[in-house]
Amino acid sequence: MVSLNVNGRAYQVDVDPRTPLLWVLRDAVGLTGTKYGCGIAQCGACSVHINDEVQRSCSIRVGDVKASDRITTIEGLSTTSSHPVQKAWAAIDVPQCGYCQSGQIMAAAALLKRTPKPTDRDIDEAMTNICRCGTYQRIRAAVHLAANDTSKI
Ligand code: FES
Ligand code: FES
């Protein structure tokens, strides 16, 4: 059994400790907003927060996560989609197919927590998530909107 704290709730999951956290979140906990893209920590589709830091859950073994670690998935960012990043994403209509977007939002939320008014360069350096639909310009604008820095949009 592995003990996890996900979105403020405690879970006991009966999985091999070598299982990637991504699959435990999706298959054992039932939170499917976190996506699988590459499985090798390159694309960011699987991004979650662990203790407020963005992490790529495809490449973390669940046995390496402590019971006291606070895992936040897209479902836990806000129960009402009212997180400033979610509101900015909707206002700018960022997603196209949407597949990468939960990871993008988690990366943006972690960036703004560390850097409340990021520059374009800060955004480009922090957000290395891949979007096959090429929504990068709108992602940048939405991050500035979420930071309430409308001069940069
Ligand atoms: S699925 Fe984890 S980084 Fe691509
Ligand atoms: S919106 Fe389609 S991959 Fe990013």
Side-chain angles (χ1 to χ4, degrees):
M1 280 290 182
V2 176
S3 299
L4 294 176
N5 177 336
V6 186
N7 299 333
R9 276 186 61 186
Y11 293 87
Q12 295 271 326
V13 286
D14 187 9
V15 293
D16 185 318
R18 294 168 299 181
T19 309
L21 175 62
L22 171 63
W23 298 117
V24 176
L25 292 172
R26 288 181 57 84
D27 296 344
V29 180
L31 296 171
T32 54
T34 307
K35 303 301 187 199
Y36 170 79
C38 64
I40 52 169
Q42 296 295 303
C43 73
C46 64
S47 297
V48 299
H49 296 177
I50 301 180
N51 301 327
D52 297 325
E53 294 287 337
V54 69
Q55 303 277 353
R56 295 189 168 175
S57 62
C58 68
S59 300
I60 297 171
R61 299 185 317 169
V62 72
D64 292 334
V65 179
K66 297 196 279 298
S68 58
D69 285 338
R70 289 175 292 105
I71 302 165
T72 307
T73 68
I74 187 72
E75 292 89 346
L77 196 58
S78 148
T79 52
T80 55
S81 299
S82 59
H83 187 284
V85 171
Q86 291 171 310
K87 284 167 54 179
W89 245 244
I92 296 213
D93 211 7
V94 173
Q96 289 199 26
C97 81
Y99 195 83
C100 73
Q101 295 291 326
S102 62
Q104 304 279 6
I105 287 170
M106 296 310 281
L111 166 63
L112 289 170
K113 196 149 204 164
R114 299 195 293 286
T115 309
K117 297 278 186 212
T119 62
D120 284 344
R121 188 174 177 172
D122 293 333
I123 295 168
D124 293 347
E125 283 178 2
M127 295 194 55
T128 56
N129 299 40
I130 292 170
C131 174
R132 292 200 309 178
C133 300
T135 60
Y136 300 108
Q137 296 301 321
R138 293 208 301 257
I139 286 172
R140 224 194 228 180
V143 172
H144 288 308
L145 181 63
N148 208 14
D149 200 352
T150 47
S151 65
K152 297 212 183 88
I153 297 171

